[in-house]
Coordinates of all heavy atoms in Angstrom, one line a residue:
Q283 N -11.2 -65.3 0.6 CA -11.6 -64.9 -0.8 C -11.9 -63.4 -0.7 O -12.3 -62.8 0.3 CB -12.8 -65.7 -1.2 CG -12.5 -67.2 -1.4 CD -11.6 -67.5 -2.5 OE1 -11.6 -66.9 -3.6 NE2 -10.7 -68.4 -2.3
Y284 N -11.8 -62.7 -1.9 CA -12.0 -61.3 -1.9 C -13.3 -60.9 -1.3 O -13.4 -59.9 -0.5 CB -12.0 -60.8 -3.4 CG -10.6 -60.9 -4.0 CD1 -10.5 -61.6 -5.3 CD2 -9.4 -60.5 -3.4 CE1 -9.2 -61.7 -5.9 CE2 -8.2 -60.7 -4.0 CZ -8.1 -61.3 -5.2 OH -6.9 -61.4 -5.8
F285 N -14.4 -61.5 -1.6 CA -15.7 -61.1 -1.1 C -16.1 -61.8 0.2 O -17.3 -61.8 0.6 CB -16.7 -61.2 -2.1 CG -16.5 -60.1 -3.2 CD1 -15.8 -60.5 -4.4 CD2 -16.8 -58.8 -3.1 CE1 -15.5 -59.6 -5.4 CE2 -16.6 -57.9 -4.0 CZ -15.9 -58.3 -5.2
F320 N -4.3 -57.8 -0.6 CA -3.7 -58.1 -1.9 C -4.8 -58.0 -3.0 O -4.6 -58.5 -4.1 CB -3.1 -59.4 -2.0 CG -3.8 -60.5 -1.4 CD1 -4.9 -61.2 -2.0 CD2 -3.6 -61.0 -0.1 CE1 -5.6 -62.2 -1.4 CE2 -4.3 -62.0 0.6 CZ -5.3 -62.6 -0.1
P322 N -6.7 -56.8 -6.2 CA -6.2 -56.1 -7.4 C -6.7 -54.6 -7.4 O -6.0 -53.8 -8.1 CB -6.7 -56.9 -8.5 CG -7.1 -58.2 -7.9 CD -7.5 -57.9 -6.5
W323 N -7.8 -54.2 -6.8 CA -8.3 -52.9 -6.9 C -7.8 -51.9 -5.8 O -8.3 -50.8 -5.7 CB -9.8 -52.9 -7.0 CG -10.4 -53.9 -6.0 CD1 -10.6 -53.7 -4.6 CD2 -10.8 -55.2 -6.2 NE1 -11.2 -54.8 -4.0 CE2 -11.3 -55.7 -5.0 CE3 -10.9 -56.0 -7.4 CZ2 -11.8 -57.1 -4.9 CZ3 -11.3 -57.3 -7.3 CH2 -11.8 -57.8 -6.1
N463 N 0.6 -63.5 -4.6 CA -0.8 -63.4 -4.3 C -1.4 -64.8 -4.4 O -1.4 -65.3 -5.5 CB -1.4 -62.4 -5.3 CG -2.9 -62.2 -5.2 OD1 -3.6 -63.0 -4.5 ND2 -3.4 -61.1 -5.8
R464 N -1.9 -65.3 -3.3 CA -2.5 -66.6 -3.3 C -3.7 -66.7 -4.1 O -3.9 -67.8 -4.8 CB -2.8 -67.0 -1.8 CG -1.6 -67.4 -1.0 CD -2.1 -68.0 0.4 NE -0.9 -68.3 1.2 CZ -0.3 -69.5 1.2 NH1 -0.7 -70.4 0.4 NH2 0.7 -69.7 2.1
L465 N -4.6 -65.7 -4.1 CA -5.8 -65.8 -4.8 C -5.7 -65.6 -6.3 O -6.4 -66.2 -7.1 CB -6.8 -64.8 -4.3 CG -7.3 -65.1 -2.8 CD1 -8.4 -64.1 -2.5 CD2 -7.8 -66.5 -2.6
T466 N -4.8 -64.7 -6.7 CA -4.6 -64.4 -8.1 C -3.1 -64.4 -8.4 O -2.5 -63.3 -8.4 CB -5.3 -63.0 -8.5 OG1 -6.6 -62.9 -7.9 CG2 -5.4 -62.8 -10.0
P467 N -2.6 -65.5 -8.6 CA -1.1 -65.6 -8.7 C -0.5 -64.7 -9.8 O 0.7 -64.4 -9.8 CB -0.8 -67.1 -9.0 CG -2.0 -67.8 -8.4 CD -3.2 -66.8 -8.7
D468 N -1.2 -64.4 -10.9 CA -0.7 -63.6 -12.0 C -0.9 -62.1 -11.8 O -0.8 -61.4 -12.8 CB -1.3 -64.1 -13.3 CG -0.8 -65.5 -13.7 OD1 0.2 -65.9 -13.1 OD2 -1.4 -66.1 -14.6
I469 N -1.3 -61.7 -10.6 CA -1.3 -60.3 -10.3 C -0.2 -60.1 -9.2 O -0.3 -60.7 -8.1 CB -2.6 -59.8 -9.7 CG1 -3.7 -60.0 -10.8 CG2 -2.5 -58.3 -9.2 CD1 -3.6 -59.1 -12.0
Y582 N -12.2 -54.8 -13.6 CA -12.1 -55.6 -12.5 C -13.2 -56.7 -12.5 O -13.0 -57.8 -12.0 CB -12.2 -54.8 -11.2 CG -11.0 -53.9 -11.0 CD1 -11.1 -52.5 -11.1 CD2 -9.7 -54.4 -10.8 CE1 -10.0 -51.7 -11.0 CE2 -8.6 -53.6 -10.7 CZ -8.7 -52.2 -10.8 OH -7.6 -51.4 -10.7
I583 N -14.4 -56.3 -13.0 CA -15.5 -57.3 -13.2 C -15.0 -58.4 -14.1 O -15.3 -59.6 -13.9 CB -16.8 -56.6 -13.6 CG1 -17.3 -55.8 -12.5 CG2 -17.8 -57.6 -14.1 CD1 -18.4 -54.8 -12.8
N584 N -14.4 -58.0 -15.2 CA -13.9 -59.0 -16.2 C -12.9 -59.9 -15.5 O -12.8 -61.2 -15.7 CB -13.2 -58.3 -17.4 CG -14.3 -57.7 -18.3 OD1 -15.5 -58.1 -18.3 ND2 -13.9 -56.7 -19.1
L585 N -12.1 -59.3 -14.6 CA -11.1 -60.2 -13.8 C -11.8 -61.2 -13.0 O -11.5 -62.3 -12.9 CB -10.2 -59.3 -12.9 CG -9.4 -60.0 -11.9 CD1 -8.3 -60.8 -12.5 CD2 -8.8 -59.0 -10.9
L586 N -12.9 -60.7 -12.3 CA -13.7 -61.6 -11.5 C -14.3 -62.7 -12.3 O -14.4 -63.9 -11.8 CB -14.7 -60.8 -10.7 CG -14.2 -59.9 -9.7 CD1 -15.4 -59.0 -9.1 CD2 -13.5 -60.6 -8.5
C587 N -14.7 -62.4 -13.5 CA -15.2 -63.5 -14.4 C -14.1 -64.5 -14.7 O -14.4 -65.7 -14.6 CB -15.7 -62.8 -15.7 SG -17.2 -61.8 -15.6
A588 N -13.0 -64.0 -14.9 CA -11.8 -64.9 -15.2 C -11.5 -65.7 -13.9 O -10.9 -66.9 -14.1 CB -10.6 -64.1 -15.6
Q589 N -11.8 -65.2 -12.8 CA -11.6 -65.9 -11.5 C -12.7 -66.9 -11.2 O -12.6 -67.6 -10.2 CB -11.5 -64.9 -10.3 CG -10.3 -64.0 -10.4 CD -9.1 -64.6 -9.8 OE1 -8.1 -65.0 -10.6 NE2 -9.0 -64.8 -8.5
G590 N -13.7 -67.0 -12.0 CA -14.8 -68.0 -11.8 C -16.1 -67.4 -11.2 O -17.0 -68.2 -11.0
Y591 N -16.2 -66.1 -11.0 CA -17.5 -65.5 -10.6 C -18.4 -65.6 -11.7 O -18.1 -65.3 -12.9 CB -17.2 -64.1 -10.1 CG -16.5 -64.0 -8.8 CD1 -15.2 -64.2 -8.7 CD2 -17.2 -63.6 -7.6 CE1 -14.5 -64.1 -7.5 CE2 -16.6 -63.5 -6.4 CZ -15.2 -63.7 -6.4 OH -14.6 -63.6 -5.2
N592 N -19.7 -65.9 -11.5 CA -20.7 -65.9 -12.5 C -21.5 -64.6 -12.6 O -21.4 -63.8 -11.7 CB -21.6 -67.1 -12.4 CG -22.3 -67.2 -11.0 OD1 -22.8 -66.2 -10.6 ND2 -22.5 -68.4 -10.5
C606 N -20.9 -61.8 -17.3 CA -19.7 -62.5 -17.8 C -20.1 -63.1 -19.1 O -21.2 -63.6 -19.3 CB -19.2 -63.6 -16.9 SG -18.5 -63.0 -15.3
T610 N -15.4 -67.7 -22.5 CA -14.3 -66.8 -22.5 C -13.0 -67.5 -22.2 O -13.0 -68.5 -21.4 CB -14.5 -65.7 -21.4 OG1 -13.4 -64.8 -21.5 CG2 -14.7 -66.2 -20.0
A612 N -10.6 -65.6 -21.0 CA -9.9 -64.5 -20.3 C -9.2 -65.1 -19.1 O -9.6 -66.1 -18.5 CB -10.9 -63.5 -19.9
T613 N -8.1 -64.4 -18.7 CA -7.3 -64.8 -17.5 C -7.0 -63.5 -16.8 O -7.2 -62.4 -17.3 CB -6.0 -65.5 -17.9 OG1 -5.1 -64.6 -18.5 CG2 -6.2 -66.7 -18.8
A614 N -6.4 -63.7 -15.6 CA -6.0 -62.5 -14.8 C -5.0 -61.7 -15.5 O -4.8 -60.5 -15.2 CB -5.5 -63.0 -13.4
R615 N -4.3 -62.3 -16.4 CA -3.2 -61.6 -17.1 C -3.8 -60.6 -18.1 O -3.1 -59.7 -18.6 CB -2.4 -62.6 -17.9 CG -1.6 -63.5 -17.0 CD -0.5 -64.3 -17.8 NE -1.1 -65.2 -18.8 CZ -1.5 -66.4 -18.6 NH1 -1.4 -66.9 -17.4 NH2 -2.0 -67.2 -19.6

Side-chain angles (χ1 to χ4, degrees):
Q283 296 294 320
Y284 293 130
F285 291 97
F320 44 83
W323 42 83
N463 179 341
R464 284 186 182 274
L465 293 188
T466 314
D468 288 349
I469 298 293
Y582 295 111
I583 289 168
N584 289 337
L585 168 69
L586 293 173
C587 293
Q589 292 278 106
Y591 288 74
N592 58 40
C606 292
T610 179
T613 69
R615 296 192 295 274

